[in-house]
Amino acid sequence: MQLLERAMTIAKVLASEASEGSLSISELSTKCDLPLSTLHRILKAMIAQGMIEQDTQTKHYRLGTIWMELGLQVYDTMDYISKIRPELERLAREVEESVYLSKPAGLDTIIIERIDSAANPIRIYDQLGIRIPMHIGAANKALLASLPPVEAKKIMQQLVPMEEMAELEAQLEQIRLQGFAISHGERTAGTSSVAVAVFNGFGEIIGAVSIGFVSFNVSDEHINFLTQRLVETGKRVSTKLGYRGK
């Protein structure tokens, strides 16, 4: 079990540093808090399984392609993606902003799809696969507000201090009333997001569709436009998945 935990720690560190390309064994040792001798043994085993790769020239390490292969296989099993993606692409074209699909994962959500607008060079770039605590951001609050109250309460109790609970519950009630969530600067200063939850034919929440945008000099009129288009998209997505409403 300890070996597995250490291997996953290494993989997560390499994933978080993916934009830098790769890391040396000494850098990994520092970031993972592991002795070089121990780290070397684990890295050797991970290479054998295709979990990581080592550059033959620099001797630096990076994630192996097995993660992408497994991820794509899981992604391919989500048959609803093929139904949702055209709607996300349509929304991105209409609003000329980045559009996201987030999926619940325990106390977090995972961004599993992102459609960037080719018409807008100014983008909010949230990586696919990142996990975001359920109480942060419009997409997550849209999901929380759509969960059965008892289930939502259990999640909030594990994430939010008791003295902040009443404020969050008030936010969720407002989201239920208006049918969408909006957040400003909760994860990244100067950015905003609007989101709606989407459902399948069994009435289950399968995720949240959101629009991320730079909030500088954005008018209320434009936010209303984004929200209107988003709510319409959310309804079409849920309908395509068989949802008939409450």
Side-chain angles (χ1 to χ4, degrees), residues 1 18 23 30 52 57 59 111 133 137 144 149 152 164 193 198 203 229:
M1 183 61 71
L23 293 174
T30 300
I52 61 172
Q57 294 184 338
K59 303 301 180 183
I111 296 176
L144 266 182
E164 298 177 14
S193 180
V198 289
R229 291 294 183 271

Side-chain angles (χ1 to χ4, degrees), residues 184-203:
H184 301 288
E186 290 192 19
R187 291 191 60 242
T188 306
T191 66
S192 296
S193 180
V194 289
V196 292
V198 289
F199 304 82
N200 64 17
F202 299 101

Side-chain angles (χ1 to χ4, degrees), residues 1-12 32 34-49 51-52 67:
M1 183 61 71
Q2 187 181 53
L3 177 61
L4 177 60
E5 291 174 349
R6 287 175 171 177
M8 288 306 299
T9 296
I10 294 167
K12 289 177 181 179
C32 298
L34 290 172
L36 285 173
S37 57
T38 301
L39 184 59
H40 187 268
R41 290 195 301 272
I42 299 173
L43 291 174
K44 186 176 180 180
M46 292 178 74
I47 289 174
Q49 295 298 320
M51 298 169 70
I52 61 172
W67 300 100

Side-chain angles (χ1 to χ4, degrees), residues 13-229:
V13 167
L14 288 173
S16 68
E17 301 290 337
S19 60
E20 303 300 322
S22 58
L23 293 174
S24 68
I25 191 170
S26 60
E27 290 172 324
L28 275 173
S29 176
T30 300
K31 291 178 179 293
C32 298
D33 193 25
L34 290 172
L36 285 173
S37 57
T38 301
L39 184 59
H40 187 268
R41 290 195 301 272
I42 299 173
L43 291 174
K44 186 176 180 180
M46 292 178 74
I47 289 174
Q49 295 298 320
M51 298 169 70
I52 61 172
E53 299 171 351
Q54 184 180 31
D55 189 288
T56 55
Q57 294 184 338
T58 66
K59 303 301 180 183
H60 285 198
Y61 296 89
R62 59 177 176 267
L63 284 180
T65 57
I66 188 67
W67 300 100
M68 180 177 66
E69 294 168 20
L70 294 174
L72 289 173
Q73 289 173 21
V74 173
Y75 185 84
D76 194 47
T77 65
M78 300 177 183
D79 57 353
Y80 60 83
I81 292 293
S82 61
K83 299 177 182 179
I84 290 177
R85 189 176 176 88
E87 292 293 346
L88 301 184
E89 292 173 340
R90 172 181 174 176
L91 179 60
R93 288 194 303 270
E94 289 180 344
V95 302
E96 298 185 352
E97 301 285 0
S98 294
V99 172
Y100 300 88
L101 176 64
S102 303
K103 186 180 187 301
L107 298 180
D108 305 322
T109 59
I110 300 174
I111 296 176
I112 62 172
E113 185 63 283
R114 183 189 70 240
I115 309 294
D116 292 321
S117 169
N120 189 349
I122 303 175
R123 300 173 182 171
I124 299 173
Y125 187 77
D126 282 328
Q127 287 183 320
L128 295 179
I130 64 171
R131 300 179 74 100
I132 304 171
M134 187 72 84
H135 66 301
I136 297 175
N140 294 0
K141 289 179 179 178
L143 290 171
L144 266 182
S146 300
L147 287 172
V150 173
E151 186 177 346
K153 186 84 169 184
K154 287 181 180 178
I155 292 174
M156 289 189 291
Q157 287 174 338
Q158 297 179 72
L159 293 172
V160 181
M162 187 58 65
E163 59 270 20
E164 298 177 14
M165 190 72 71
E167 180 182 353
L168 179 55
E169 288 179 332
Q171 290 179 23
L172 298 184
E173 182 58 28
Q174 180 62 36
I175 292 167
R176 295 185 192 102
L177 291 172
Q178 64 193 18
F180 64 90
I182 185 166
S183 65
H184 301 288
E186 290 192 19
R187 291 191 60 242
T188 306
T191 66
S192 296
S193 180
V194 289
V196 292
V198 289
F199 304 82
N200 64 17
F202 299 101
E204 300 166 334
I205 301 170
I206 63 98
V209 176
S210 60
I211 302 171
F213 56 98
V214 176
S215 52
F216 174 73
N217 207 28
V218 174
S219 66
D220 289 340
E221 181 180 2
H222 184 63
I223 293 177
N224 290 336
F225 165 74
L226 297 179
T227 303
Q228 180 183 0
R229 291 294 183 271

